[in-house]
């Protein structure tokens, strides 16, 4: 899939982020916009206010870290995520491993919640784990095809295509559920405690795995080693503190898990490509 976006109505401001976000009870189901996103570059999406409509993501490839109710989950190919209106959503791609590609659709309507509940998508936000499915991909392609053509009944056709997508996602999630993530406990622990001195053997023990098996499964799930994953989380936190606080470099290093400030600066430059002080200076100049 390519990087594509479709909108169901003409909006002179649709180039503005989230411009197609709207709620409506005019019809039972109304598709606002849809598309395909693909990237080999790391990025983070953080929308603290959420959208006015429902947001469905379906992952085709790569691995995405999605935060749901304060807990980070690793989303992989075949998984789907549904965000309700006005829910603050956060997800990130680290740029490692397979290129990220996911399909997305935003919708609203007087019975949108009713359709979702009937299909088992209640208690939003939710992550449904399933295997990649050719039929679901075909349903999205059909939706995109309808968007690209002029039709007197386009709105109705889009709603029908969306229902087919939701039906396919529901059937796939329930008929072909993935096994529970064998690293769920340790990943949750890492994301909550990455500034601590985490010992990798202790993580393997937590999941009842040998050290070697734990490393293999962790690399398959995240695209990186456990130690690299912990370092990545620390660097993200450090960048945020450099951007948003006046804490010293030494203080920031200590807060993210490095008591030795020289070692922190060395790791930061190796991972980010510049020193913490230059990073802070460049980010502040960019804001201006």
């Amino acid at each position: 899939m390519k990087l594509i976006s479709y909108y169901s109505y003409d909006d002179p401001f649709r180039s503005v982020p989230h411009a197609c976000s709207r709620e409506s009870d005019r019809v039972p189901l109304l598709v606002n916009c849809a598309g395909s996103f693909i990237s080999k570059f790391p990025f983070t999406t953080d929308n603290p206010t959420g959208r006015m409509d429902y947001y469905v993501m379906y992952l085709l490839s790569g691995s995405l870290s999605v935060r749901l109710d304060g807990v980070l989950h690793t989303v992989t190919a075949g998984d789907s995520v549904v965000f309700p209106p006005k829910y603050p959503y956060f997800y990130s791609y680290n740029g490692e491993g397979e290129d990220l590609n996911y399909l997305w659709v935003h919708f609203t309507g007087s019975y949108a919640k009713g359709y979702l509940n009937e299909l088992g998508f209640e208690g939003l936000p939710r992550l449904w784990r399933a295997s990649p499915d050719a039929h679901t991909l075909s349903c999205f392609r059909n939706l995109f095809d309808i968007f690209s053509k002029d039709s007197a009944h386009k709105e109705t056709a889009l709603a029908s295509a969306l229902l087919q997508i939701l039906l396919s996602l529901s059937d796939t999630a329930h008929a072909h559920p993935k096994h529970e993530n064998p690293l769920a406990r340790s990943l949750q622990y890492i994301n909550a405690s990455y500034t601590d001195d985490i010992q990798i053997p202790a993580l393997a023990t937590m999941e009842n795995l040998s050290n070697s098996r734990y490393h293999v499964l962790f690399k398959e799930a995240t695209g990186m080693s456990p130690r690299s994953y912990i370092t990545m989380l620390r660097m993200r936190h450090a960048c945020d503190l450099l951007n948003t606080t006046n804490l010293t470099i030494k203080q920031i290093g200590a807060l993210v898990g490095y008591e030795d400030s020289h070692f922190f600066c060395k790791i930061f430059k190796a991972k980010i490509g510049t020193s913490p002080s230059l990073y802070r200076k460049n980010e502040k100049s960019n804001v201006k």
Side-chain angles (χ1 to χ4, degrees):
M1 276 277 183
K2 298 179 179 179
L3 180 65
I4 53 177
S5 298
Y6 296 98
Y7 299 84
S8 62
Y9 63 104
D10 292 329
D11 184 343
F13 302 105
R14 69 184 186 185
S15 61
V16 178
H18 314 305
C20 77
S21 171
R22 58 174 175 169
E23 57 182 344
S24 173
D25 59 1
R26 179 172 58 81
V27 292
L29 198 60
L30 180 65
V31 179
N32 286 336
C33 46
S36 169
F37 183 84
I38 185 168
S39 178
K40 61 181 178 181
F41 305 109
F43 73 93
T44 295
T45 293
D46 189 359
N47 185 353
T49 59
R51 295 177 53 92
M52 299 301 292
D53 48 14
Y54 288 91
Y55 181 7
V56 173
M57 303 174 69
Y58 176 64
L59 215 70
L60 293 180
S61 65
S63 177
L64 194 64
S65 182
V66 179
R67 186 167 63 205
L68 300 176
D69 295 333
V71 178
L72 283 175
H73 300 265
T74 300
V75 181
T76 56
D79 293 348
S80 54
V81 183
V82 184
F83 298 101
K86 302 175 184 177
Y87 182 85
Y89 57 83
F90 172 96
Y91 49 87
S92 62
Y93 168 58
N94 60 28
E96 299 184 14
E98 192 175 11
D99 289 355
L100 179 72
N101 188 192
Y102 65 83
L103 307 179
W104 55 271
V105 58
H106 300 294
F107 61 94
T108 183
S110 62
Y111 199 66
K113 182 177 181 180
Y115 283 127
L116 289 168
N117 288 342
E118 287 180 16
L119 294 172
F121 295 102
E122 69 280 337
L124 302 180
R126 286 280 299 277
L127 161 63
W128 279 266
R129 298 196 179 279
S131 302
D133 179 67
H135 181 255
T136 301
L137 176 58
S138 176
C139 290
F140 269 99
R141 291 185 187 277
N142 180 49
L143 181 75
F144 299 157
D145 187 53
I146 295 170
F147 262 117
S148 63
K149 297 178 180 178
D150 290 327
S151 169
H153 307 290
K154 190 171 184 176
E155 187 176 279
T156 301
L158 288 171
S160 177
L162 172 60
L163 278 176
Q164 292 301 312
I165 290 173
L166 296 177
L167 281 165
S168 182
L169 289 174
S170 177
D171 290 343
T172 303
H174 290 91
H176 307 288
K178 283 188 177 179
H179 296 298
E180 285 299 313
N181 185 352
L183 307 179
R185 291 178 61 194
S186 59
L187 278 169
Q188 185 171 353
Y189 177 80
I190 291 172
N191 283 291
S193 312
Y194 59 85
T195 61
D196 296 341
D197 182 20
I198 298 176
Q199 300 299 312
I200 308 305
L203 297 174
T205 300
M206 190 180 296
E207 304 291 10
N208 296 314
L209 296 168
S210 67
N211 288 346
S212 59
R213 183 57 178 165
Y214 183 81
H215 274 80
V216 170
L217 292 178
F218 199 97
K219 186 70 178 291
E220 290 177 352
T222 67
M224 63 183 80
S225 70
R227 184 56 60 193
S228 294
Y229 185 85
I230 294 169
T231 301
M232 176 268 294
L233 292 175
R234 289 179 170 186
M235 293 301 104
R236 283 184 186 170
H237 193 176
C239 287
D240 184 56
L241 292 173
L242 287 166
N243 288 334
T244 60
T245 74
N246 62 351
L247 290 165
T248 67
I249 305 300
K250 183 176 182 179
Q251 288 170 335
I252 290 174
L255 285 174
V256 301
Y258 300 99
E259 292 297 334
D260 185 334
S261 61
H262 294 293
F263 184 65
F264 166 62
C265 291
K266 180 180 179 180
I267 294 295
F268 189 96
K269 187 171 184 179
K271 298 298 181 180
I272 306 300
T274 187
S275 68
S277 57
L278 275 177
Y279 178 87
R280 170 177 271 172
K281 180 179 179 180
N282 292 335
E283 287 299 308
K284 287 186 176 180
S285 64
N286 288 336
V287 170
K288 296 177 183 178

